[in-house]
């Protein structure tokens, strides 16, 4: 055969395959989502997310230690309060669960990087991501609450805030509020392109944050839309977002790809709870090779254009990188 093009030439050995790799990833780009809850001595496994736990503040340092040993340097904190009310006051309380966790964590592990999820759904009695007016979330009324929440996180030690509520104008409201309190240098990672997704199901079990009526479709995006995702991303950059997130990851890699071409800020992708749960369940049945699937999902996300990867598998991925299985 007189073949000129033989792509297999570059696949002949492990050394060569690694030499020509197009996607290289690093532990420094991993962020691990972590649930903290009121109480003491709590380290309870989340039933729909085997291997993931809710920690009380006193037990949190054990997990932070494991992360730091694994080489995962950044966490995203989610709070599970004891008390919920109409206005989600636990979200911005000085002694709120995230605020307490931050103070403790910063004291014990000052070198880790702390990002907080800024939203109201875990704190409102109705489970929606903002305050209500009749039966819908009131966008503009919600903004000061989000800004207040972000500020209280930063005052408690958050290094970065990540609004996930999908209200219009929230990045601007948070930026203004942080700036006017002297926190000009605290970055905002916006969950800019966040779809109304069934992939969040296990998270809502974990955080007890399912809406008590209706759904989130009036604020989270319709998954049929791609161009609208670009609009959300560009709007948030204009409002001052430093990092743009796409969420979920697995079924949205086209969006990751397009957003990463459209914006000139780093793009993060969040492999959410449902993605984690599917892998865990199928692996438990013996139907897939868990480790290989984790690697493929991770690399696929970076290959699509993400520079930052939020994943419940962060520790495992860090280990696979260490072992040279991906990287
Ligand atoms: C809060 C929030 C959610 C997730 C991250 N921040 C839930 C939701 O929007 O219902 C989902 C994360 C996951 O599923 O892992 N608004």
């Amino acid at each position: 055969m007189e073949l000129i093009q033989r792509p297999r030439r570059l696949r002949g050995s492990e050394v060569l395959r690694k030499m020509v790799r197009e996607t290289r990833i690093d532990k420094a780009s991993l962020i691990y989502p972590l649930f903290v809850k009121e109480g003491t001595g709590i380290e309870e496994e989340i039933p729909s997310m085997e291997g993931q736990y809710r920690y009380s503040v006193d037990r949190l340092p054990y997990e932070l230690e494991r992360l730091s040993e694994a080489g995962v340097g950044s966490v995203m904190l989610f709070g599970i309060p004891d008390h919920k009310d109409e206005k989600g006051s636990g979200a911005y309380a000085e002694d709120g669960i995230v605020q307490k966790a931050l103070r403790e964590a910063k004291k014990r592990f000052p070198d880790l990087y702390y990002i907080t999820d800024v939203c109201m759904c875990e704190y409102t009695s109705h489970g929606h991501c903002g305050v209500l007016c009749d039966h819908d979330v009131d966008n503009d009324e919600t903004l000061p609450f989000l800004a207040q929440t972000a500020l209280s996180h930063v005052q408690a030690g958050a290094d970065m805030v990540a609004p996930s509520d999908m209200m219009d104008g929230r990045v601007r409201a948070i930026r203004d509020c942080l700036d006017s309190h002297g926190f000009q240098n605290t970055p905002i990672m916006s969950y800019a392109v966040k779809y109304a997704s069934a992939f969040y199901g296990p998270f809502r079990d974990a955080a007890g944050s399912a809406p008590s009526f209706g759904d989130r479709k009036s604020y989270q995006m319709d998954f049929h839309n791609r161009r609208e995702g670009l609009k959300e991303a560009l709007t948030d950059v204009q409002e001052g977002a430093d990092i743009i997130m796409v969420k979920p990851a697995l079924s949205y890699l086209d969006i990751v790809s397009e957003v990463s071409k459209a914006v000139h800020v780093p793009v993060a992708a969040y492999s959410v709870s449902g993605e984690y749960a599917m892998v865990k369940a199928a692996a438990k049945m013996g139907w897939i090779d868990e480790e290989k699937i984790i690697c493929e999902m991770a690399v696929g996300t970076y290959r699509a254009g993400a520079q930052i990867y939020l994943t419940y598998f962060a520790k495992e991925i860090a280990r696979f990188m260490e072992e040279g299985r991906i990287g």
Side-chain angles (χ1 to χ4, degrees):
M1 272 291 252
E2 274 191 40
L3 280 180
I4 305 274
Q5 294 295 340
R6 287 187 183 270
R8 289 187 54 191
R9 276 189 209 112
L10 294 181
R11 295 179 204 140
S13 75
E14 186 65 8
V15 172
L16 192 50
R17 285 193 292 271
K18 281 192 173 160
M19 185 194 294
V20 301
R21 247 177 205 174
E22 296 175 41
T23 309
R24 299 196 188 268
I25 54 185
D26 193 277
K27 283 185 220 172
S29 64
L30 295 167
I31 301 174
Y32 181 66
L34 196 44
F35 299 94
V36 275
K37 114 174 227 170
E38 291 284 0
T40 50
I42 301 170
E43 185 169 341
E44 61 191 18
E45 192 167 25
I46 299 161
S48 51
M49 298 177 73
E50 268 182 28
Q52 301 303 311
Y53 296 80
R54 304 180 189 102
Y55 298 96
S56 52
V57 172
D58 60 317
R59 299 297 283 268
L60 188 60
Y62 296 100
E63 179 59 19
L64 296 177
E65 179 153 32
R66 287 188 282 269
L67 285 162
S68 136
E69 274 168 12
V72 178
S74 307
V75 296
M76 167 82 90
L77 290 177
F78 293 95
I80 306 170
D82 265 351
H83 162 81
K84 299 181 190 239
D85 57 35
E86 277 281 305
K87 303 259 184 254
S89 59
Y92 40 89
E94 212 195 310
D95 64 346
I97 178 65
V98 167
Q99 291 80 352
K100 283 192 290 198
L102 277 167
R103 284 189 207 101
E104 179 66 15
K106 286 286 262 195
K107 202 159 47 180
R108 301 287 299 275
F109 288 90
D111 294 337
L112 287 175
Y113 194 82
Y114 298 94
I115 308 167
T116 57
D117 181 87
V118 174
C119 195
M120 296 180 75
C121 62
E122 295 105 312
Y123 305 90
T124 50
S125 43
H126 43 78
H128 279 286
C129 299
V131 293
L132 295 182
C133 175
D134 297 328
H135 263 36
D136 196 12
V137 176
D138 189 324
N139 190 89
D140 298 13
E141 287 289 317
T142 298
L143 299 182
F145 291 103
L146 295 168
Q148 189 58 36
T149 302
L151 178 62
S152 75
H153 289 174
V154 175
Q155 285 170 334
D159 297 301
M160 182 189 288
V161 289
S164 69
D165 52 281
M166 287 299 277
M167 296 304 122
D168 294 333
R170 91 278 208 198
V171 172
R172 174 82 198 278
I174 291 172
R175 186 72 274 156
D176 285 350
C177 178
L178 294 182
D179 288 0
S180 67
H181 288 82
F183 296 111
Q184 292 90 341
N185 291 323
T186 304
I188 299 174
M189 172 162 63
S190 174
Y191 286 72
V193 194
K194 176 171 174 179
Y195 288 87
S197 169
F199 281 101
Y200 310 148
F203 174 96
R204 292 180 190 167
D205 291 343
S209 65
S212 62
F213 65 89
D215 52 39
R216 303 207 200 290
K217 288 183 183 165
S218 76
Y219 39 104
Q220 298 180 352
M221 286 180 51
D222 179 347
F223 59 75
H224 298 77
N225 297 351
R226 180 176 52 82
R227 288 189 306 143
E228 190 189 8
L230 297 178
K231 174 171 145 189
E232 284 282 5
L234 294 170
T235 304
D236 281 7
V237 170
Q238 267 172 9
E239 285 184 30
D242 300 283
I243 299 175
I244 291 293
M245 191 203 295
V246 175
K247 173 180 171 210
L250 191 57
S251 299
Y252 297 84
L253 296 185
D254 55 332
I255 310 296
V256 172
S257 169
E258 296 229 13
V259 168
S260 70
K261 285 176 209 139
V263 300
H264 297 108
V265 300
V267 172
Y270 191 153
S271 179
V272 299
S273 56
E275 300 177 43
Y276 177 85
M278 291 195 307
V279 173
K280 280 293 183 188
K284 201 169 165 187
M285 295 298 287
W287 291 343
I288 58 167
D289 180 328
E290 178 173 337
E291 303 199 343
K292 288 185 178 152
I293 295 275
I294 295 172
C295 291
E296 245 179 89
M297 283 169 62
V299 172
T301 308
Y302 288 101
R303 192 187 61 232
Q307 281 161 268
I308 298 167
Y309 190 39
L310 293 105
T311 169
Y312 300 96
F313 286 121
K315 285 193 297 265
E316 288 81 351
I317 294 171
R319 175 159 56 82
F320 300 151
M321 290 178 182
E322 195 74 49
E323 294 167 357
R325 300 173 55 165
I326 46 171

